[in-house]
Amino acid sequence: MKRTMLLTVLFAAVLAMASTMIMAQQSQRTGQGPGTGQNQDAFKPKLYVNLPDWCHNPDGMTLCEETGMIYLNCPNFNLMTDGKKEFAPTLSSIDKDGKFEKLLEYPPLEETGQCGPMGLDFGPDGNLYVCDNQYFHDKDHKSRILCVEMKEGKPTGKITPVVKGLKLANAVMWHENEMWVTDTCLDFPGEFGVGGLWRFKGDEILKQTQPLKMLPNGQDKHLVVKESVKKIGREEASGADGMTVDKNGVIYFGNFGDGVMYAVTVDKTNDSVQCTKILDDERFQCCDGIFYDAACDLIFINDSQKNAIHYMTPIREGGTRVFCRTLWENDDTDGTDGLLDQPCECVVRDGKMIIANFDWPFPGLKNTAVDKPYTISVIDLAPLYERMQQRQRQPRQ
């Protein structure tokens, strides 16, 4: 009897240990990370910038590597009166001391009377390239890419369209003398949701005398990726949103509507584009802006649905396996004290993650109201850096 009882106890212990190991492995792949549980406060966001009313809807950011200056677009889609924005869309800067400064107000597109500046990035000519999202004002291929001429870190006031005819221009990125753009809502007939990725050769943009006009409905050769969106959860049909590139030149983007992540590579032998699904997990159903941080070799994902920041490993050569964890998540908030209030974009500067809080609620998001304060948050990544360094030093088993 005693022997049978002992065997039973040992068997139960083995099962418990096996269960613990399986749960740990699952957590390593897609589960909750150091932003939950006893270490949660290590990554608690703090208030970085309290924005004025004329910048109540911050969105795209980019970092100037040479100066450390952050450039921020604010489309101000909120606070409309009789179809007109109460505040003009703006380009601003945030220096290393957190000083916030308005640099310009974007002029509207004559056809719509609006401008919706979102993603932005520096081109090889030193100018800023900006996604003008006209989809929220006119869905008939009115979105554009604008070139904002820059001199000594400031806009000169000259703004020129370089691409026309996009649907919902969202993120823009220059890589190896090519300009890549995500399009969130291609609206193909008979399909629930489709997003895509545009690719433009540098000379097409930098040496042009007239803006490129894209063919509609997926007919243009520059639309190199088209990926569908799953009808799940909040039934959001928006596709390709945030975009980044890792140290190996792999491009990543994710869908806003279902959180599915993709990796994009270019075959140098025939210049063809390959797109591979790398993460599809029901616990992550929203991807807004993303940012690759070379210091820790991780990709940070802004989850507007859950008021969360996740992080994902890049793919390794010859593989598609990634690991994704949650750094931080909080409930609905007005952003007081820097808690996340619909995070949409982030950059990392000197080990600090700077996060724009979009604060424009859609159905199914935790964020339920546009409310003051309008904020930029910050998370100190030092504990994560230390943890990643420790793992790198550990021998592989």
Side-chain angles (χ1 to χ4, degrees):
M1 179 70 71
K2 290 183 179 179
R3 182 179 181 185
T4 301
M5 185 177 295
L6 179 60
L7 288 174
T8 302
V9 172
L10 288 173
F11 182 66
V14 170
L15 281 179
M17 184 178 297
S19 176
T20 301
M21 291 176 65
I22 291 171
M23 290 177 65
Q25 290 172 352
Q26 290 175 340
S27 174
Q28 186 183 32
R29 292 189 184 98
T30 54
Q32 303 300 306
T36 60
Q38 61 182 356
N39 297 320
Q40 185 173 14
D41 284 347
F43 300 101
K44 184 176 182 179
K46 297 180 180 179
L47 182 64
Y48 190 60
V49 178
N50 202 335
L51 298 170
D53 288 358
W54 53 260
C55 188
H56 57 267
N57 188 206
D59 188 66
M61 291 191 291
T62 194
L63 175 66
C64 178
E65 299 289 347
E66 294 179 358
T67 65
M69 188 73 78
I70 294 172
Y71 293 86
L72 168 72
N73 271 337
C74 183
N76 283 335
F77 292 124
N78 294 323
L79 307 183
M80 301 278 285
T81 303
D82 296 329
K84 295 183 179 180
K85 295 177 181 177
E86 294 185 18
F87 299 98
T90 59
L91 172 68
S92 301
S93 63
I94 308 173
D95 69 13
K96 288 190 173 183
D97 296 322
K99 179 183 176 183
F100 177 77
E101 180 185 2
K102 181 196 289 188
L103 300 178
L104 64 77
E105 294 185 357
Y106 286 93
L109 173 64
E110 184 176 353
E111 298 166 76
T112 64
Q114 307 283 358
C115 185
M118 295 180 69
L120 70 166
D121 193 23
F122 279 98
D125 56 357
N127 296 324
L128 277 174
Y129 288 81
V130 174
C131 288
D132 174 18
N133 170 21
Q134 292 284 339
Y135 188 84
F136 298 147
H137 308 301
D138 189 330
K139 294 180 171 56
D140 187 19
H141 301 88
K142 294 294 192 297
S143 289
R144 309 173 294 168
I145 305 300
L146 306 175
C147 174
V148 178
E149 186 179 69
M150 301 289 288
K151 187 175 182 179
E152 297 179 356
K154 303 280 187 178
T156 65
K158 183 180 179 181
I159 302 176
T160 308
V162 294
V163 178
K164 294 182 177 181
L166 307 183
K167 285 286 285 186
L168 199 167
N170 202 322
V172 58
M173 181 180 71
W174 280 87
H175 172 61
E176 293 187 346
N177 201 39
E178 293 183 333
M179 187 177 75
W180 298 77
V181 178
T182 60
D183 203 318
T184 308
C185 295
L186 293 173
D187 294 342
F188 290 162
E191 298 194 46
F192 168 70
V194 180
L197 189 61
W198 299 87
R199 179 193 185 196
F200 303 94
K201 299 292 187 178
D203 286 350
E204 292 183 286
I205 303 300
L206 301 174
K207 295 184 178 181
Q208 65 176 243
T209 56
Q210 295 293 327
L212 299 177
K213 175 66 175 178
M214 298 298 99
L215 297 173
N217 304 319
Q219 302 173 53
D220 202 286
K221 66 178 182 179
H222 294 89
L223 186 63
V224 293
V225 172
K226 290 168 278 189
E227 291 292 343
S228 62
V229 183
K230 296 182 297 180
K231 191 174 185 179
I232 58 172
R234 64 191 193 279
E235 297 189 358
E236 168 65 63
S238 299
D241 196 308
M243 178 171 50
T244 194
V245 61
D246 70 12
K247 63 183 180 182
N248 296 317
V250 179
I251 295 171
Y252 301 83
F253 74 89
N255 287 344
F256 186 87
D258 59 17
V260 174
M261 304 295 299
Y262 297 91
V264 176
T265 56
V266 177
D267 188 332
K268 297 298 179 68
T269 59
N270 57 16
D271 201 40
S272 63
V273 175
Q274 288 81 42
C275 180
T276 304
K277 183 187 296 185
I278 57 173
L279 181 66
D280 184 357
D281 190 286
E282 290 186 357
R283 284 170 285 190
F284 308 135
Q285 296 185 356
C286 181
C287 171
D288 208 317
I290 61 177
F291 183 87
Y292 171 72
D293 181 16
C296 58
D297 196 27
L298 292 172
I299 297 164
F300 293 103
I301 303 168
N302 292 259
D303 184 340
S304 284
Q305 177 182 351
K306 291 188 174 182
N307 279 345
I309 301 291
H310 312 299
Y311 63 92
M312 179 181 75
T313 55
I315 62 172
R316 304 307 176 194
E317 186 175 358
T320 59
R321 189 182 183 192
V322 299
F323 300 94
C324 190
R325 294 184 177 183
T326 297
L327 185 73
W328 175 266
E329 179 178 339
N330 58 249
D331 290 329
D332 191 12
T333 175
D334 62 4
T336 301
D337 299 329
L339 290 181
L340 301 183
D341 193 12
Q342 198 178 332
C344 66
E345 191 81 42
C346 69
V347 297
V348 177
R349 178 173 67 183
D350 299 332
K352 304 290 194 301
M353 182 190 296
I354 314 299
I355 307 159
N357 293 298
F358 199 55
D359 198 17
W360 188 24
F362 308 143
L365 306 189
K366 277 187 178 179
N367 184 29
T368 57
V370 180
D371 44 23
K372 292 185 179 182
Y374 312 120
T375 60
I376 303 291
S377 302
V378 61
I379 295 176
D380 188 351
L381 296 177
L384 181 62
Y385 284 1
E386 182 178 354
R387 190 164 305 168
M388 296 303 294
Q389 291 171 358
Q390 289 175 350
R391 288 181 179 177
Q392 291 173 1
R393 289 194 293 265
Q394 291 175 354
R396 292 185 178 271
Q397 298 182 357

